[in-house]
Amino acid sequence: MERPYAVVIGASAGGVQALMELAGGLPAGFPATVLVVQHIGAHPSILPELLASRGPNPARHAADGDLPQPGTIHVAPPDCHMVLEADRIRLVRGPKENHARPAIDPLFRSAACYWGAQTIGVLLSGQLDDGTAGMQAVKACGGFTIVQDPSTATEPEMPRNALNNVAIDLCLPVGEIAAALVSRVAGVSVAGPAAAPAPELVAREVRINQGIDVMDNLLQLGKASGLTCPDCGGSLFELTDARPVRYRCHTGHAYSPRSLEHAQGETVEAALWSSARALQEKEMLLRRLAAVARSSGRSAEAKVGERRADEVREQALKLTRMIEDGAERSA
């Protein structure tokens, strides 16, 4: 069976404008399947309408089981990973990767596994480093890789991380990427799947995304790290052959070091604010008990309660200042 190239595109913060510019540069009837993941979480999205309004090709949110269509831009819907299988698009509401759903890595990895050398990975503006492992998979399976020039990206961190860790084929301003894609695909289709099987790391992670023998595949890929998953609290395994280091838990959550640090920071901040709230509530209780004691003529007991309330109030203020100072340093 003949099939065209699969162009898989990932974007995050600052990526909508880049995607619109890229869509506007593709010719009508672009002879490749285009699949897009933009980090949107569970929020409603009008991205397909925006992309269709800027270019000649139709764009729509993918549905589970869709056939990939050349000349159509398939967009991951909110709160679902979009992956490619042999001849179908699949939507999976599985565990988050890099603290995101939809995430870029699952799409890139699955396209690389099933479409091999007929995969073109494109990474645009964004924070952190989702997409780097996916681009490594595309390269490992013989595909072609393009990143937006970080100096032209609203958020350069995501493309820069890919450049630092993957032998990227082209680094271009977003305005030049569409022409590069047209030149690359040139209307060519090939018969059948990739000649070589995907490397073990790629193939097993694809099976984990599919929910197949998750623990067995994880045990083959890594070893317990002593860290816990910020999303579910399970043990994180460090993937043995992944460079840079990456982590997965037995339920399927996956992290790069940057995304893990970011998720841990959110968890710590939430715990600290919860502690500050608990201290404030303790102060309120102590003052209430002191007021009751004073109204009952137990002035000594009231003074002790008020002193303890003052101490707790100072603790809460110190903790709040520490949290706010940490947030300013991280900004």
Side-chain angles (χ1 to χ4, degrees), residues 283-323:
E283 179 198 354
M284 292 170 61
L285 176 61
L286 288 171
R287 293 200 187 282
R288 174 58 182 157
L289 295 176
V292 170
R294 190 172 296 282
S295 66
S296 301
R298 304 192 304 275
S299 59
E301 181 182 335
K303 288 180 180 179
V304 171
E306 289 166 350
R307 184 173 65 252
R308 290 182 61 202
D310 290 339
E311 292 171 354
V312 171
R313 181 175 184 271
E314 185 60 28
Q315 291 172 352
L317 288 172
K318 287 180 179 179
L319 181 56
T320 299
R321 284 195 293 268
M322 184 185 76
I323 299 169

Side-chain angles (χ1 to χ4, degrees), residues 16 53 61 131-132 138 158 220 227 232 245 255 272 283 298:
V16 172
S53 71
H61 279 131
T132 293
V138 171
M158 204 162 72
Q220 293 299 317
L227 302 172
C232 70
V245 172
Y255 298 93
L272 289 173
E283 179 198 354
R298 304 192 304 275

